[in-house]
């Protein structure tokens, strides 16, 4: 999407940065087409990453972007917060695709859990009749990692391959609940010792084959595993190992 | 742009909140139409308010949004940062209009000054041949001030009437430079005493008939005058009065 002469070759660092932006963003700007005028409209949505990293968002039928997506599902989202200093020095990514309402009950339940892990206050309205979960089926993305660092990414570059992750998807929500409920001390060490974050009310927001996303309610931080774990059993073993490692760092 | 049943009647509070969002935003999400596909694209831009509040932005011909706006000037921008906690509890506004390159030299000089007041690092590339200042000619806006607080605004609601401000526009840039260079102590008191901000490297980013915008390099805060000042002389008198008031608060 950027002039080709300024694009860099896509490497694993760019892919990981793209994955981190998708998995740590709490909100995004959504660009849709206004049905009556065809004008491009930018609006704010709260987001969460599906297991594969694709953006999921909960929106109301009363909002203009809901009607816009029903009329024309092609859209894009901008992720990556500007932060302090020069707003264009901070990495951001435009993700392009088609959005659709999540209708499969099992898929919706997982998306709901991952969304509420990041947006607990949405529990107040998540089950209202006028709200629905949408997922973007990603087609491509444009990563801008700062001046002169632009990458054109494919869907495969930014999303996780789920072909071997089925059993892990199934148990991931229960594992998150178990860790947050029964091992809050370990979760706190993950945040402070493995990720170097200040102490706070850290919880696991979501788990996937390649890492875990921790939140204190204001920010989300991602811990990438050294290598993806194929099964639920591998994940549990890894969490025990990481707990030991975090305790060791804590001394 | 929002379902009419949830819209509130526009009042002066909504107009002022809209003006503050336009004048304190340092960056925005820009929604444009991708020429090759017609897809709506969201990208990040650095912004500054023109004297009347309309968004001005500096972009490069190498960027995809430059080409998109050349092909199709209809666009929108989303202003208002999500901040801490629930990202949808923070006010934001979608501003819709048509963007055009600023070609008038005098107008460009004022926009350049106001832009660099907020983005001093852009001095490195502001005069490069591939960069141009664009201004959005605002048509309407949609303000979302939090759950259940949506307003449909006209251009007149969000922009300042410039019919009596000509002499003030001419001297506003020089007045900003003079205050920042010769009265940095007063500017610091404006920020800490009139606006209740923590101490920092505060400067005036821009002045207009209705208020002044102060920045510490990371945030912009607006001070609204009690009533608009019609001339440069009135503005100088008001700044002297405000300096006295700020010193009095400082004790």
């Amino acid at each position: 999407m950027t002039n080709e002469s300024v694009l860099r070759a896509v490497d694993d660092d760019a892919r990981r940065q793209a994955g981190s932006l998708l998995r740590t963003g709490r909100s995004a700007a959504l660009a849709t087409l206004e049905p009556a005028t065809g004008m491009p409209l930018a609006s704010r949505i709260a987001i969460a990453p599906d297991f594969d990293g694709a953006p999921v968002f909960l929106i109301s039928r009363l909002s203009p972007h809901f009607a816009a997506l029903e009329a024309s599902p092609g859209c894009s989202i901008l992720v990556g917060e500007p932060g302090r200093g020069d707003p264009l020095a901070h990495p951001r990514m435009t993700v392009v695709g088609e959005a659709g309402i999540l209708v499969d009950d099992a898929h919706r339940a997982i998306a709901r859990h991952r969304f509420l892990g990041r947006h607990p206050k949405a529990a107040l309205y998540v089950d209202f009749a006028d709200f629905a979960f949408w997922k973007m089926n990603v087609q491509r993305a444009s990563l801008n990692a700062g001046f002169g660092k632009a990458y054109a990414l494919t869907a495969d570059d930014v999303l996780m391959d789920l072909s071997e992750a089925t059993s892990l998807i199934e148990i991931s929500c229960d594992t998150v609940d178990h860790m947050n409920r029964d091992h809050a001390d370990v979760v706190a060490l993950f945040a402070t010792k493995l990720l170097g974050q200040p102490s706070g009310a850290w919880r696991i927001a979501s788990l996937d084959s390649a890492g875990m996303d921790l939140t204190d309610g204001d920010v989300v931080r991602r811990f990438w595993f050294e290598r993806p774990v194929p099964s639920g059993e591998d994940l549990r073993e890894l969490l025990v190992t990481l707990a030991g490692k975090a305790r060791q760092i804590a001394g």
Side-chain angles (χ1 to χ4, degrees), chain A:
Chain A
M1 290 175 281
T2 296
N3 187 311
E4 287 188 14
S5 63
V6 298
L7 286 176
R8 292 196 180 190
V10 174
D11 55 19
D12 282 346
D13 283 349
R15 290 186 193 97
R16 176 159 289 197
Q17 189 161 23
S20 291
L21 283 170
L22 276 178
R23 292 176 185 280
T24 59
R26 299 171 65 241
S27 66
L30 171 70
T32 55
L33 293 179
E34 189 173 42
T37 64
M39 289 282 273
L41 288 189
S43 56
R44 175 158 302 134
I45 53 172
I47 58 168
D50 201 2
F51 197 89
D52 63 356
V56 163
F57 44 97
L58 174 71
I59 55 176
S60 160
R61 284 178 196 280
L62 298 174
S63 68
H65 37 229
F66 197 113
L69 290 175
E70 278 192 315
S72 181
C75 61
S76 67
I77 66 166
L78 172 69
V79 288
E81 295 297 328
R84 302 179 74 81
D86 186 339
L88 299 184
H90 297 265
R92 67 275 186 190
M93 180 166 62
T94 301
V95 189
V96 181
E98 293 210 342
I101 293 178
L102 280 183
V103 289
D104 177 76
D105 282 343
H107 193 166
R108 186 185 178 282
I110 290 166
R112 183 182 185 281
H113 191 276
R114 298 175 66 89
F115 191 88
L116 291 178
R118 281 166 175 72
H119 307 287
K121 287 184 183 163
L124 291 170
Y125 50 86
V126 62
D127 296 319
F128 285 4
D130 64 305
F131 277 85
F133 278 107
W134 291 68
K135 175 175 179 173
M136 178 191 272
N137 296 300
V138 175
Q139 295 167 342
R140 57 192 158 101
S142 172
L143 168 67
N144 191 321
F147 290 106
K149 294 168 74 179
Y151 303 86
L153 302 167
T154 65
D156 286 346
D157 287 326
V158 298
L159 301 182
M160 185 189 299
D161 176 9
L162 296 183
S163 53
E164 291 186 352
T166 318
S167 77
L168 207 152
I169 295 176
E170 282 169 7
I171 64 105
S172 64
C173 297
D174 286 346
T175 307
V176 168
D177 290 341
H178 167 66
M179 292 298 294
N180 286 334
R181 191 181 53 230
D182 303 327
H183 301 290
D185 54 332
V186 171
V187 173
L189 291 176
F190 285 168
T192 54
K193 302 307 169 189
L194 298 186
L195 283 167
Q197 295 296 309
S199 53
W202 291 97
R203 291 174 294 107
I204 302 181
S206 51
L207 276 168
D208 56 75
S209 323
M212 60 182 164
D213 306 317
L214 303 178
T215 184
D216 68 350
D218 288 319
V219 298
V220 180
R221 297 288 182 248
R222 179 160 179 85
F223 180 80
W224 289 91
F225 302 147
E226 269 187 48
R227 64 189 67 81
V229 286
S231 76
E233 190 145 345
D234 294 313
L235 176 64
R236 279 188 289 261
E237 272 179 33
L238 177 61
L239 290 175
V240 171
T241 305
L242 290 175
K245 193 175 158 189
R247 283 202 189 92
Q248 197 172 16
I249 298 172

